[in-house]
Amino acid sequence: TSIVWEGLREPLQIVHTRVALPIEQDDWRDLSREVQETRLKVFLKTNRKSGVDLSKEPLLRLALIRISERAHFFVWSHHHILLDGWCVSLLLKEVFSRYEALRRGEREPSVPSHPYRNHIAWLRRQDLAAAECYWRASLAGFTAPTPLAVNRGAESTQDMNDVDYAEQSLLLSAAGTSALSAFAQRHQLTLNTLIQGAWALLLSRYSGEEVLFGVTVSGRPADLPGVETMIGLFLNTLPLRVRIGTEAPVREWLQALLAQNIEMREYEYAPLLQIQGWSEVPRGQPLFESLLVFENYPMDQELSGTHGSLTMSDVAIGSQTHYPLTVDVNPGTELRLSLWYDRCRFDNGTIRRMLSHFEKLLEGIAVHPEARLSDLPM
């Protein structure tokens, strides 16, 4: 598919009958493993910077790089407008199934699925007037994006493809992760709510203001038949406005934040562009400059393993948004916190300190549920 919008009343996704799929192939067998790893990092960085032209189909590309007689690096790059993380395991399972059928000379299996257009039809049936009332009330009085007080300012940001993004991560200990999960379960909260709370506190202490940041939601409505197996972009980004009452007990404040999330989900179908238009932030300014992504989609562990004659290992998923700061949270036995950041806006030391503060706030939440927000250490 490709996307067209210029001169049209609304953007359209064009499905083309025939498409030449771009596949880059290379052979690195004569290189040492160390050199191969270095070249792969360079390849991935260059690949990401090249971006995607939405008006030219297809919005994905593949690279197959041979590194030994029976092993390859395989790189699948696509624009997020095609599909979201939920779809990755669904799509790869279908690839494996078809590959094995072709290898054995059998007919390719038919995979039952519901078309993505059913989701578009569902969206068109939703009550935008009700959503507008909710979002106008939710954002009333908020007139400028929460300042990221430790950054160098937006004026230095260049064209999207010229921005130099970097990533830093840390792993919470297994004991710390277990303590957070136990806290959430004991107080009927979600781990996502604890993460949101810690990030809101961090932004509040950095900026000294009430905060608003973006959060992602799966966007897969429970009343849409077959939605669990549909391939496409369902993910939506919503603004989460968090009021910080410094005297509020941690547990009660988090429970109120969860209730706010539940109410917000009733209107999650509204496009972010329209939500921004309903806000009091002037046109041309961003509604928020940091995005929190909690990766809770069903990425099957089976994908790293053997599938017929193929084995997949060292699977890594990397994404890049246009926001200067993106928090990526991966749950597991050790919670992984990653910050993707625009290096024109943030230096490496600032991001290291930010991660450390984030970790300390999460530990404080788990240990001091009855403390006041202002008493949590950072």
Side-chain angles (χ1 to χ4, degrees):
T1 67
S2 62
I3 312 294
V4 294
W5 63 91
E6 291 183 352
L8 301 177
R9 186 175 58 85
E10 62 180 1
L12 295 176
Q13 184 170 7
I14 308 299
V15 181
H16 299 264
T17 307
R18 297 184 64 83
V19 175
L21 181 64
I23 303 178
E24 182 176 344
Q25 297 190 62
D26 210 339
D27 193 332
W28 295 353
R29 281 179 293 176
D30 58 338
L31 305 176
S32 69
R33 183 67 179 185
E34 195 174 72
V35 174
Q36 288 175 349
E37 293 285 357
T38 301
R39 284 191 63 171
L40 179 63
K41 288 178 183 177
V42 173
F43 176 88
L44 293 175
K45 186 172 183 178
T46 304
N47 182 48
R48 182 174 284 125
K49 275 184 170 290
S50 65
V52 177
D53 182 346
L54 290 174
S55 67
K56 295 180 180 176
E57 73 286 352
L59 306 182
L60 61 83
R61 54 181 175 265
L62 310 175
L64 189 65
I65 303 166
R66 193 169 188 177
I67 56 173
S68 72
E69 291 307 309
R70 295 178 59 80
H72 298 75
F73 288 136
F74 177 64
V75 184
W76 167 28
S77 312
H78 67 86
H79 195 286
H80 213 326
I81 205 165
L82 283 184
L83 49 87
D84 52 34
W86 185 296
C87 303
V88 172
S89 58
L90 297 174
L91 198 54
L92 287 180
K93 281 183 176 179
E94 184 175 339
V95 168
F96 293 139
S97 175
R98 291 178 180 274
Y99 180 87
E100 288 306 312
L102 287 168
R103 193 179 66 86
R104 293 192 298 262
E106 300 171 359
R107 288 184 59 188
E108 290 188 57
S110 60
V111 180
S113 63
H114 297 263
Y116 182 67
R117 62 174 170 267
N118 292 2
H119 173 57
I120 302 299
W122 181 91
L123 283 173
R124 291 185 182 280
R125 294 196 298 270
Q126 303 314 300
D127 188 347
L128 269 185
E132 180 178 357
C133 288
Y134 170 80
W135 286 112
R136 283 191 183 278
S138 176
L139 300 172
F142 197 90
T143 58
T146 300
L148 301 174
V150 292
N151 81 103
R152 298 168 178 151
E155 62 277 359
S156 59
T157 301
Q158 306 299 315
D159 177 79
M160 178 64 189
N161 289 337
D162 294 329
V163 174
D164 184 12
Y165 280 89
E167 178 193 20
Q168 290 190 43
S169 303
L170 67 78
L171 284 175
L172 236 59
S173 67
T177 303
S178 178
L180 276 176
S181 298
F183 175 92
Q185 192 171 19
R186 187 163 61 249
H187 297 293
Q188 297 180 307
L189 294 162
T190 66
L191 188 56
N192 189 15
T193 306
L194 304 191
I195 300 293
Q196 288 179 356
W199 186 245
L201 285 170
L202 186 148
L203 289 181
S204 173
R205 293 189 183 182
Y206 275 36
S207 68
E209 299 184 12
E210 178 187 26
V211 302
L212 186 147
F213 53 93
V215 294
T216 57
V217 293
S218 71
R220 290 179 181 256
D223 60 341
L224 179 59
V227 70
E228 299 87 357
T229 58
M230 284 186 190
I231 303 292
L233 177 61
F234 294 81
L235 190 82
N236 196 11
T237 300
L238 303 174
L240 181 63
R241 182 181 187 178
V242 184
R243 294 173 172 85
I244 314 290
T246 56
E247 300 303 306
V250 170
R251 177 179 52 81
E252 291 180 13
W253 179 71
L254 288 170
Q255 287 170 339
L257 183 58
L258 175 62
Q260 181 183 343
N261 270 269
I262 292 171
E263 182 182 20
M264 181 175 73
R265 293 294 298 272
E266 293 182 37
Y267 306 98
E268 68 178 17
Y269 53 83
L272 178 59
L273 187 65
Q274 284 189 282
I275 295 173
Q276 177 148 356
W278 297 329
S279 78
E280 296 171 25
V281 175
R283 187 175 297 276
Q285 280 193 48
L287 189 55
F288 48 83
E289 291 202 306
S290 73
L291 173 67
L292 176 59
V293 182
F294 188 83
E295 306 282 12
N296 61 346
Y297 49 76
M299 172 56 78
D300 262 332
Q301 295 303 314
E302 298 171 7
L303 289 181
S304 289
T306 300
H307 308 268
S309 61
L310 293 176
T311 299
M312 278 180 67
S313 62
D314 303 324
V315 179
I317 299 177
S319 61
Q320 179 176 302
T321 73
H322 62 280
Y323 298 103
L325 193 59
T326 299
V327 189
D328 197 67
V329 182
N330 286 272
T333 53
E334 294 180 316
L335 189 74
R336 183 182 182 87
L337 305 173
S338 300
L339 286 181
W340 283 89
Y341 57 102
D342 177 356
R343 295 179 68 183
C344 294
R345 302 278 297 271
F346 301 92
D347 63 49
N348 298 336
T350 295
I351 297 298
R352 278 196 299 273
R353 287 190 296 276
M354 190 175 281
L355 276 171
S356 177
H357 290 156
F358 197 10
E359 179 184 31
K360 184 64 72 175
L361 283 167
L362 283 170
E363 290 172 351
I365 284 173
V367 175
H368 305 292
E370 302 306 326
R372 297 177 306 172
L373 294 182
S374 57
D375 292 334
L376 286 180
M378 193 172 80

